[in-house]
Amino acid sequence: MKIEIWSDIMCPFCYIGKRQLETALAEFPSDEFEIEWKSFQLDPTITPQSGKDVLTFLAERKGISVEQSIEMHKGVTERAKSVGLDYHFDKAVISNSLTSHRIIQLAKNKKLGDAMEEIFFKAYFTEGRDLNDPETLTELAVKAGLDSNEVKEVIENENLYLDDVHSDIHEANQIGVQGVPFFVFDRKYAVSGAQPVEAFVNTIKEGLK
């Protein structure tokens, strides 16, 4: 079974959804699954915001108070904790995910897409790493198994893998993806959002019939 996942590494529910899916897949040890991560940008217009934390930034974007933003993110943090993830929105560094997505496209070509997604998610939501920083991006990509020179070439040449990113986003628009995460199973069934494990299990069972 092939599972395609449209995702943005700046999306907290995408990391949660990844864990939910992994838990579901563990219930099918004798079956083979091919995971393909697809690029999606929740906000392509984001620019680095020096000295501004994510909680304040999102409060301004949503037209709510910082206190409301903090409360809202507490709920997300608790949900992440329920699947074994440790979120620290107070440490998260605002960044545009485009370069990260281009590196993920490189990783996909090396069969390292899943490893790269995991490392970028953890770097952003747990470790507070700066994904605007070329050295940080290179370090994380090498950790996933990529060659540092190839990664640096992608970072320096803004056109490398750009068409692949845009192709994924265009495809998402074509099939009606309204938000991420969005999971497609063998192009027959879809799960939208970070659904409970049971939803993934039931969809997989249906697809394997």
Side-chain angles (χ1 to χ4, degrees), residues 11-80:
C11 163
F13 296 105
C14 291
Y15 198 8
I16 293 169
K18 182 177 189 292
R19 279 293 181 276
Q20 303 280 54
L21 175 65
E22 288 166 350
T23 301
L25 293 178
E27 297 196 22
F28 302 88
S30 61
D31 293 290
E32 290 190 10
F33 299 94
E34 177 191 350
I35 307 291
E36 181 182 354
W37 289 90
K38 301 271 197 174
S39 298
F40 192 93
Q41 280 196 286
L42 289 170
D43 186 351
T45 68
I46 286 180
T47 56
Q49 309 278 322
S50 180
K52 186 179 292 185
D53 62 86
V54 166
L55 297 169
T56 302
F57 173 74
L58 291 175
E60 293 174 355
R61 278 293 177 98
K62 292 177 180 293
I64 60 177
S65 70
V66 174
E67 290 73 21
Q68 287 173 307
S69 178
I70 290 170
E71 280 303 311
M72 182 175 68
H73 284 86
K74 276 182 183 176
V76 180
T77 300
E78 286 302 313
R79 187 166 175 194

Side-chain angles (χ1 to χ4, degrees), residues 8-185:
D8 191 352
I9 56 166
M10 307 300 166
C11 163
F13 296 105
C14 291
Y15 198 8
I16 293 169
K18 182 177 189 292
R19 279 293 181 276
Q20 303 280 54
L21 175 65
E22 288 166 350
T23 301
L25 293 178
E27 297 196 22
F28 302 88
S30 61
D31 293 290
E32 290 190 10
F33 299 94
E34 177 191 350
I35 307 291
E36 181 182 354
W37 289 90
K38 301 271 197 174
S39 298
F40 192 93
Q41 280 196 286
L42 289 170
D43 186 351
T45 68
I46 286 180
T47 56
Q49 309 278 322
S50 180
K52 186 179 292 185
D53 62 86
V54 166
L55 297 169
T56 302
F57 173 74
L58 291 175
E60 293 174 355
R61 278 293 177 98
K62 292 177 180 293
I64 60 177
S65 70
V66 174
E67 290 73 21
Q68 287 173 307
S69 178
I70 290 170
E71 280 303 311
M72 182 175 68
H73 284 86
K74 276 182 183 176
V76 180
T77 300
E78 286 302 313
R79 187 166 175 194
K81 191 179 292 183
S82 74
V83 297
L85 300 174
D86 188 21
Y87 281 11
H88 294 280
F89 287 106
D90 55 324
K91 295 198 302 185
V93 179
I94 300 161
S95 56
N96 187 297
S97 59
L98 181 58
T99 303
S100 300
H101 278 301
R102 293 193 298 109
I103 293 171
I104 289 167
Q105 294 288 344
L106 168 66
K108 280 168 62 173
N109 285 351
K110 310 284 185 180
K111 308 296 183 186
L112 295 169
D114 197 71
M116 193 71 266
E117 288 278 348
E118 179 68 29
I119 287 169
F120 276 154
F121 275 137
K122 186 176 182 181
Y124 184 75
F125 288 107
T126 301
E127 299 170 341
R129 304 297 300 275
D130 184 358
L131 300 187
N132 302 298
D133 178 53
E135 288 186 10
T136 299
L137 288 170
T138 303
E139 175 202 328
L140 295 170
V142 168
K143 188 177 177 183
L146 292 173
D147 177 79
S148 62
N149 291 322
E150 287 188 279
V151 177
K152 288 173 183 174
E153 187 179 0
V154 172
I155 293 170
E156 290 167 7
N157 184 345
E158 294 181 356
N159 290 316
L160 279 181
Y161 296 101
L162 184 62
D163 286 346
D164 298 276
V165 173
H166 287 162
S167 176
D168 282 354
I169 294 170
H170 176 70
E171 189 177 11
N173 292 331
Q174 292 293 105
I175 65 174
V177 176
Q178 300 293 319
V180 289
F182 193 84
F183 305 82
V184 176
F185 300 79

